[in-house]
Amino acid sequence: MSGPVNDPPPGSPSDRQLLGAATMPCGADVDLLLEQVADGRSADRGSHQQRCVHCQAALSEFTALWAPVAELAAAPVPAPPGLAAAVMSQIRQLVHDIWYTLEITDSGTIRIAARIVAALARDCARMIPGVRVAFGRSTQGTIAALAEKATLGHRHPHAAVGVLGRTAVVDLAVAVTYDDPAHQVARDIQRQVIATLRDQVGLQSVKVNVTVDDILDDDER
Amino acid sequence: MAAAAQAAQLAVGDAYLAARAQQGYLDAYELLVQRHSPMAYRVALRLTGNHHDAQDVAQEALIAAWENLARFRAESSFSTWLYRIVTRRALNKISRGRAASSLDMLPDVADPAAEPATQTERNLAVDAVTDALLALPFPQRAVVVLHHFEGLSYAEIASVTGSTEPAVRSHLFRARRALGMKLEEWR
């Protein structure tokens, strides 16, 4: 590609002529020239291209040809509103939900979904100083199976399979800040979450399992 | 404080979220969905050319990703893994359904500074690109979308498509020539 300066071509070649050929008259690979333009490197010209009129003409032609593609690629494509919510709604239907019973009387039953309890606990944990990230789960696996088994034998008329009873069990996975003692943060979380669930939901018996699984610096946020 | 807490959740990496989601923390997966659903829809739209199919594909892919989360290994990024699922779902949709044809749902590219006549011409050009893109065989269309629209490297595309880097490059060479020919016809 470092040969002598080429004579000017008799006329600008059409794109069709260029795209129908494997190489340029100077020997340059047409695919590589098109790749150079498509990858936005048309201005990065080596010594051959700086002197070769064939390559320069082809790069100009391809730049004009590819412009609408680049324009379409750069155009924002907003996702339909509600897409993420629709996905999560379907996933929640697939998850076997479990419930905590707050009250069972002949007047009726008050129940709350364990995932709501987990979300409240998570949101509470996120507000505690030293917590960078927190996620909550409603102990779906083992506890849900236990709950189902436990409620099958002596089901109250207003209860349902999957009701766990009056004791809420919440798992929280948290990442804490580097400067805060993890054990202290974890205890603060337990204390605060228990108080929140008692005050906001009426759950009197709450077990909060806290797993500190990461320590993040400020710059890792 | 609430805004700061929310910002911290959003700033955490995909790998961390995917690991928590694998442990059953659905709210961690919800953050991944919020973060990646625009990409899932965007890629699906470019591949299917149809808003309704794209919405179906994006939704199915994000649910399938959750159902198969146990199979996700941190060898690739979560986004690469999701690109793979979206691309496969789009191919399935196209293969079993009607041909991609409804192009009117693709957004027009609007430049507020452009004169109306210029803007119309631009939109026609963009429609021509969309037509040309949808006329490509699926493997070529996929590599163009993943590389030129999404900015994935050859190695990442090879991972997404289960191919090799030379094969990806070869598909791209052919796709660009075919696109160029179509656009030349339009000009």
Side-chain angles (χ1 to χ4, degrees):
Chain A
M1 296 273 180
S2 57
V5 177
N6 296 288
D7 292 327
S12 291
S14 73
D15 297 322
R16 178 164 290 279
Q17 285 171 319
L18 288 171
L19 291 167
T23 57
M24 301 293 294
C26 62
D29 190 311
V30 170
D31 278 324
L32 292 180
L33 287 168
L34 188 51
E35 180 183 58
Q36 183 178 345
V37 169
D39 282 345
R41 295 181 284 106
S42 59
D44 301 341
R45 300 184 183 185
S47 57
H48 167 80
Q49 289 180 349
Q50 285 176 15
R51 290 177 297 139
C52 175
V53 288
H54 299 290
C55 286
Q56 288 169 12
L59 287 169
S60 296
E61 280 294 316
F62 288 160
T63 298
L65 189 68
W66 196 259
V69 182
E71 199 170 351
L72 182 63
V77 180
L83 174 61
V87 168
M88 291 313 297
S89 170
Q90 285 200 40
I91 289 176
R92 286 196 183 95
Q93 285 175 23
L94 296 171
V95 174
H96 180 66
D97 217 344
I98 60 173
W99 302 82
Y100 295 118
T101 304
L102 302 179
E103 198 173 296
I104 303 177
T105 67
D106 289 338
S107 312
T109 307
I110 300 174
R111 292 186 297 152
I112 184 164
R115 63 182 168 82
I116 304 295
V117 174
L120 284 169
R122 173 203 64 202
D123 290 347
C124 172
R126 285 177 182 174
M127 305 302 286
I128 290 169
V131 173
R132 279 280 173 261
V133 183
F135 296 109
R137 69 180 174 190
S138 48
T139 57
Q140 290 156 3
T142 317
I143 300 294
L146 281 173
E148 191 156 328
K149 193 176 172 186
T151 52
L152 269 176
H154 42 86
R155 206 182 305 167
H156 188 278
H158 298 298
V161 172
V163 172
L164 188 57
R166 293 163 193 265
T167 300
V169 182
V170 181
D171 289 341
L172 289 168
V174 300
V176 298
T177 50
Y178 195 80
D179 295 331
D180 293 280
H183 62 94
Q184 186 58 50
V185 174
R187 285 198 192 95
D188 289 346
I189 291 170
Q190 282 180 320
R191 195 164 39 243
Q192 194 60 45
V193 167
I194 287 168
T196 298
L197 292 178
R198 185 188 58 226
D199 296 346
Q200 291 195 10
V201 188
L203 281 165
Q204 296 302 319
S205 175
V206 180
K207 185 179 174 188
V208 179
N209 301 316
V210 180
T211 304
V212 179
D213 58 12
D214 216 336
I215 297 176
L216 302 175
D217 281 329
D218 275 352
D219 56 2
E220 290 178 276
R221 289 179 56 184
Chain B
M1 186 71 183
Q6 179 70 10
Q9 310 299 314
L10 293 174
V12 77
D14 282 357
Y16 181 88
L17 293 176
R20 296 295 82 73
Q22 284 178 321
Q23 293 166 353
Y25 291 96
L26 200 54
D27 43 2
Y29 190 69
E30 187 168 11
L31 274 184
L32 287 170
V33 168
Q34 287 168 359
R35 192 175 286 181
H36 293 286
S37 55
M39 173 276 276
Y41 174 75
R42 189 174 64 233
V43 172
L45 183 63
R46 297 305 187 203
L47 292 175
T48 63
N50 177 295
H51 163 71
H52 297 293
D53 286 349
Q55 197 161 0
D56 286 350
V57 165
Q59 207 159 316
E60 288 169 13
L62 289 161
I63 292 168
W66 178 77
E67 289 175 325
N68 291 284
L69 212 49
R71 294 185 195 171
F72 171 66
R73 301 279 176 267
E75 295 153 1
S76 67
S77 69
F78 179 80
S79 65
T80 301
W81 189 62
L82 188 58
Y83 271 119
R84 189 181 311 156
I85 297 173
V86 171
T87 305
R88 285 182 184 169
R89 293 269 160 173
L91 176 59
N92 290 344
K93 190 73 155 179
I94 291 168
S95 305
R96 69 171 184 259
R98 57 210 141 82
S101 57
S102 170
L103 308 178
D104 56 332
M105 295 306 291
L106 290 175
D108 287 338
V109 180
D111 178 358
E115 294 293 325
T118 312
Q119 187 62 57
T120 304
E121 196 172 325
R122 277 186 179 180
N123 287 339
L124 287 173
V126 165
D127 284 349
V129 175
T130 308
D131 281 342
L133 195 59
L134 291 171
L136 292 176
F138 189 84
Q140 291 182 22
R141 194 188 319 163
V143 294
V144 168
V145 169
L146 293 173
H147 183 63
H148 291 301
F149 286 64
E150 293 296 312
L152 268 62
S153 68
Y154 293 164
E156 287 169 326
I157 298 170
S159 172
V160 167
T161 58
S163 183
T164 62
E165 287 185 53
V168 168
R169 200 164 186 224
S170 170
H171 274 308
L172 269 172
F173 280 155
R174 284 199 293 275
R176 279 192 292 255
R177 275 195 189 243
L179 267 181
M181 292 288 212
K182 285 278 183 190
L183 291 174
E184 164 64 14
E185 284 171 16
W186 176 79
R187 290 168 90 197

